[in-house]
Amino acid sequence: MHFKWNYEPPTSDRTAAAKELAEKIGMSPILADLLIQRGIKTESAAKRFFRPMLNELIDPFLMNDMDVAVDRLNDAMGRKERIMVYGDYDVDGCTAVALVYKFLQQFYSNIEYYIPDRYEEGYGISKKGLDYAASRDVKLIIVLDCGIKAVEEIHYANSLGIDFIICDHHVPDEELPPAVAILNPKRVDSTYPFKHLCGCGVGFKFMQAFAKNNGIPFSRLIPLLDFCAVSIAADIVSMTGENRILAFHGLKQLNQSPSVGLKAIIDICGLTGRELTMSDIVFKIGPRINASGRMQNGTEAVDLLVEKDITQALAMATHINVYNEQRKDVDKQMTEEANQIIEKLESQKHHNSIVLYDENWKKGVVGIVASRMTELYFRPTVVLTRSGDLATGSARSVAGYDIYDAVKSCRDILENFGGHTYAVGLSLPIENIPEFRRRFQQYVNEHILPEQTEAMLDIEEVVDFKDITKKMHNDLKKFAPHGPDNPKPLFCTRNVYDYGTSKVVGRQQEHIKLELVDSKSSNVMNGIAFGQSQAARYIKSKRSFDIVYTIEENIYKRSEVQLQIEDIKPSEE
């Protein structure tokens, strides 16, 4: 991929502010400038950023309907009603269900959980699920990570004598479902100060309020924070405010004392003994939890997450790992087929978006394929397959573009849709696909900015190798956890040279292991450039080049710094 490098040199005012902040917090001006670019300009704000405190979590009762939700849950327990915890089949939904079920189960036994089957029931609340709940004499359903658009379904539930508490974070419609309580920070009338919670985060706030109301110490909630970290990473929500606090302490929990189910997944991933990061969740832990719902049924993932016996959990994690291997094979095949379609469809090349349909594709993997297409072609993408009489699928976006609005513009020809800025699920009559493609592409063409369709690397700092000290690296680690609105900083160093020992590595000779020097110091820096072996000839020519990279810890040689190089360009460019 050919990246465009984006760098705005700091103004003299910003440089002066960074120098002043650096002296107060005892860090390099480079890192102080990173803070300023994140809107952190004072010593006290920097301390809060580096040491997120659980006592700074927002009062859960500031969320609309929270008092009503807690009262209804208390009533259900008091009357010994059957309670069902119902959730979506993705990582966010499964972790949310596991969190709420595990917490409540400590105080109440007449409770169960339910995850709808992606293939038989589809997304969200299903009639089949409601009929099952009625057959179990369920009187209260707590639904997590879905339900905000289930107007008809909740009307039907009410006719069966079942009440609903909705815990969701997806964008609501104008008409809200007839639930007893709707906990969603994206409600139009929301009074909650933080809008970017994931579904598991909303579930956590509900349990926090329940605990507070019933005199249960907050410390009883801390063991569940690992679920919050997993859902925040996997659902790619803003890594600021309350999410940063939950993710920071959730990662701490995941590293020090993970729940039995997550410990089993960590072992199966080969991550035992390493300090886990948000990247480990995104690329290793999350996909395995997701694979259960994609290939079979998400209930198996929740079974694992709430399991208390490590031997049993390891057997379950091994089973889910098989699903993940199957998912990889299907994903690879579908991605290849999608690429072939794009190559044949000349019309796609002139649009700023992609819409693909194949009736034989696996419903559970279309979201991954849509993500792959946005990464490959840097355009908002919709991938659809057949499900009964409908086309159903997923839309994924590029940075900065709201794909929810684009899908919403076609709502009159859709059967259903829901989601948020970067990810949307949708279904529509198969005969409407050509019209949907035309209108969706027209809307994107009219609303997307040219720079949003370019592969861009946003460089935060231009540095010399002499700036990369052990202290700088240790201080840089405090910027984690990373995610949207707090990305891993990208650095640039200009005029670097091969030390003479760089070489091509990898099973297919696709990567470069680098040893580099720059023109201003004798420091030799180690680096790895994945998938960039085409640059090896230039590097070996002894000419200078510029690099963009993140600063990492070498996992094989602890405390040694390694540059993960994202792009390489000849210096004259």
Side-chain angles (χ1 to χ4, degrees):
M1 184 181 286
H2 186 71
F3 287 105
K4 188 174 180 180
W5 294 9
N6 178 40
Y7 174 64
E8 288 183 23
T11 61
S12 55
D13 285 350
R14 199 176 96 194
T15 301
K19 192 173 179 222
E20 187 182 335
L21 182 60
E23 286 170 6
K24 287 177 181 171
I25 62 173
M27 284 188 178
S28 74
I30 292 165
L31 299 191
D33 188 52
L34 288 178
L35 287 173
I36 287 168
Q37 290 184 67
R38 282 155 178 72
I40 298 158
K41 298 177 181 178
T42 64
E43 185 181 359
S44 60
K47 281 180 179 169
R48 282 200 308 278
F49 179 77
F50 290 131
R51 287 196 291 276
M53 306 292 277
L54 286 168
N55 62 12
E56 290 176 349
L57 287 172
I58 299 162
D59 179 356
F61 285 100
L62 290 178
M63 195 176 290
N64 304 52
D65 285 1
M66 187 62 84
D67 51 345
V68 184
V70 171
D71 286 347
R72 181 64 187 89
L73 179 54
N74 283 335
D75 287 347
M77 289 180 162
R79 295 198 290 254
K80 297 192 167 32
E81 292 175 349
R82 185 93 180 138
I83 298 171
M84 177 181 278
V85 186
Y86 188 120
D88 187 24
Y89 36 62
D90 69 359
V91 178
D92 192 15
C94 289
T95 51
V97 167
L99 185 150
V100 171
Y101 175 79
K102 254 185 117 169
F103 187 68
L104 291 180
Q105 198 195 28
Q106 299 172 77
F107 314 104
Y108 191 69
S109 60
N110 196 12
I111 185 168
E112 65 181 289
Y113 54 84
Y114 186 89
I115 303 289
D117 186 287
R118 185 191 291 258
Y119 296 95
E120 285 186 22
E121 297 166 77
Y123 171 78
I125 299 162
S126 71
K127 188 172 180 295
K128 181 185 174 186
L130 295 175
D131 288 339
Y132 173 77
S135 75
R136 301 277 294 162
D137 199 29
V138 168
K139 296 299 178 194
L140 175 65
I141 293 179
I142 300 167
V143 62
L144 296 137
D145 194 34
C146 57
I148 197 62
K149 291 190 171 188
V151 177
E152 286 177 31
E153 291 83 358
I154 292 179
H155 269 300
Y156 178 67
N158 292 346
S159 75
L160 299 173
I162 300 170
D163 283 344
F164 259 87
I165 295 170
I166 296 172
C167 304
D168 204 352
H169 70 122
H170 296 101
V171 180
D173 268 344
E174 287 170 25
E175 184 186 0
L176 295 175
V180 170
I182 297 174
L183 309 178
N184 187 332
K186 290 196 179 81
R187 281 173 61 158
V188 176
D189 61 347
S190 176
T191 53
Y192 197 69
F194 187 69
K195 309 293 182 197
H196 307 295
L197 291 169
C198 59
C200 187
V202 178
F204 180 84
K205 297 307 294 186
F206 184 22
M207 293 302 96
Q208 186 190 357
F210 171 79
K212 190 174 180 179
N213 180 264
N214 286 281
I216 300 164
F218 182 83
S219 58
R220 298 284 293 269
L221 285 159
I222 290 174
L224 301 165
L225 286 170
D226 52 2
F227 292 141
C228 288
V230 170
S231 65
I232 287 166
D235 225 49
I236 316 179
V237 287
S238 176
M239 194 59 71
T240 56
E242 203 159 34
N243 281 342
R244 181 169 172 82
I245 300 171
L246 293 170
F248 181 90
H249 289 278
L251 263 182
K252 197 172 167 183
Q253 187 69 26
L254 196 65
N255 277 294
Q256 292 175 1
S257 183
S259 64
V260 170
L262 287 174
K263 173 77 175 76
I265 298 173
I266 290 164
D267 287 353
I268 291 298
C269 291
L271 294 172
T272 307
R274 271 180 51 185
E275 184 169 353
L276 301 170
T277 66
M278 296 308 258
S279 292
D280 292 318
I281 296 171
V282 171
F283 295 110
K284 298 284 180 74
I285 298 169
R288 283 165 174 81
I289 297 171
N290 247 338
S292 175
R294 290 189 191 284
M295 305 305 292
Q296 205 67 40
N297 189 297
T299 303
E300 292 185 46
V302 182
D303 292 343
L304 169 58
L305 293 175
V306 301
E307 179 55 52
K308 294 172 184 171
D309 178 77
I310 188 63
T311 307
Q312 187 66 24
L314 281 166
M316 294 159 89
T318 304
H319 190 56
I320 276 176
N321 200 49
V322 173
Y323 290 150
N324 193 50
E325 293 305 313
Q326 292 169 352
R327 188 271 307 162
K328 282 184 192 171
D329 292 340
V330 174
D331 165 13
K332 187 180 176 189
Q333 182 188 339
M334 282 170 58
T335 300
E336 286 171 3
E337 289 171 4
N339 275 321
Q340 286 167 12
I341 293 171
I342 291 170
E343 287 305 310
K344 286 176 190 168
L345 285 177
E346 282 299 316
S347 60
Q348 297 276 10
K349 295 177 182 176
H350 305 301
H351 287 285
N352 289 318
S353 62
I354 296 168
V355 179
L356 301 175
Y357 170 73
D358 187 308
E359 65 175 20
N360 297 312
W361 282 341
K362 195 166 179 69
K363 188 177 168 185
V365 186
V366 290
I368 297 178
V369 176
S371 294
R372 296 255 189 276
M373 296 297 104
T374 60
E375 289 164 13
L376 282 168
Y377 297 100
F378 228 72
R379 286 179 277 177
T381 300
V382 181
V383 178
L384 300 163
T385 187
R386 187 179 188 125
S387 179
D389 297 330
L390 296 172
T392 185
S394 293
R396 296 290 184 270
S397 195
V398 292
Y401 184 72
D402 189 338
I403 202 166
Y404 184 86
D405 281 348
V407 173
K408 188 180 176 183
S409 72
C410 307
R411 68 181 307 160
D412 58 301
I413 56 169
L414 301 178
E415 185 78 16
N416 217 330
F417 75 101
H420 42 79
T421 306
Y422 294 122
V424 177
L426 66 156
S427 60
L428 66 159
I430 290 167
E431 61 270 19
N432 288 359
I433 293 173
E435 178 63 6
F436 171 76
R437 179 183 282 120
R438 185 190 69 77
R439 281 170 53 179
F440 177 82
Q441 291 182 331
Q442 183 180 338
Y443 185 93
V444 174
N445 285 344
E446 290 170 1
H447 291 86
I448 202 163
L449 300 172
E451 58 268 26
Q452 289 171 331
T453 60
E454 293 180 299
M456 190 85 71
L457 291 176
D458 291 317
I459 297 161
E460 292 198 64
E461 303 290 338
V462 173
V463 300
D464 300 322
F465 285 166
K466 65 179 168 50
D467 299 318
I468 306 172
T469 63
K470 194 167 184 178
K471 179 179 181 339
M472 186 254 209
H473 179 234
N474 286 334
D475 287 342
L476 187 61
K477 284 196 250 180
K478 296 173 187 172
F479 280 73
H482 296 292
D485 304 320
N486 181 36
K488 196 171 272 192
L490 278 177
F491 298 92
C492 173
T493 301
R494 303 198 190 281
N495 296 306
V496 304
Y497 297 86
D498 174 28
Y499 187 60
T501 45
S502 299
K503 59 185 177 184
V504 174
V505 295
R507 203 174 291 169
Q508 296 171 318
Q509 300 286 285
E510 67 270 45
H511 316 307
I512 318 175
K513 193 173 185 304
L514 296 145
E515 291 190 334
L516 304 171
V517 289
D518 69 358
S519 54
K520 297 188 179 173
S521 73
S522 57
N523 289 9
V524 179
M525 296 299 300
N526 290 312
I528 184 80
F530 293 112
Q532 296 183 61
S533 57
Q534 74 282 355
R537 184 175 290 178
Y538 185 91
I539 288 166
K540 284 295 182 187
S541 71
K542 295 189 167 54
R543 287 176 287 177
S544 73
F545 49 96
D546 303 340
I547 54 173
V548 175
Y549 55 89
T550 58
I551 298 172
E552 310 288 346
E553 187 166 77
N554 189 327
I555 58 169
Y556 302 108
K557 296 179 185 173
R558 284 288 169 86
S559 80
E560 187 178 287
V561 172
Q562 179 172 273
L563 310 183
Q564 185 163 314
I565 295 164
E566 302 296 323
D567 203 16
I568 299 166
K569 285 184 180 176
S571 293
E572 53 266 29
E573 281 188 23

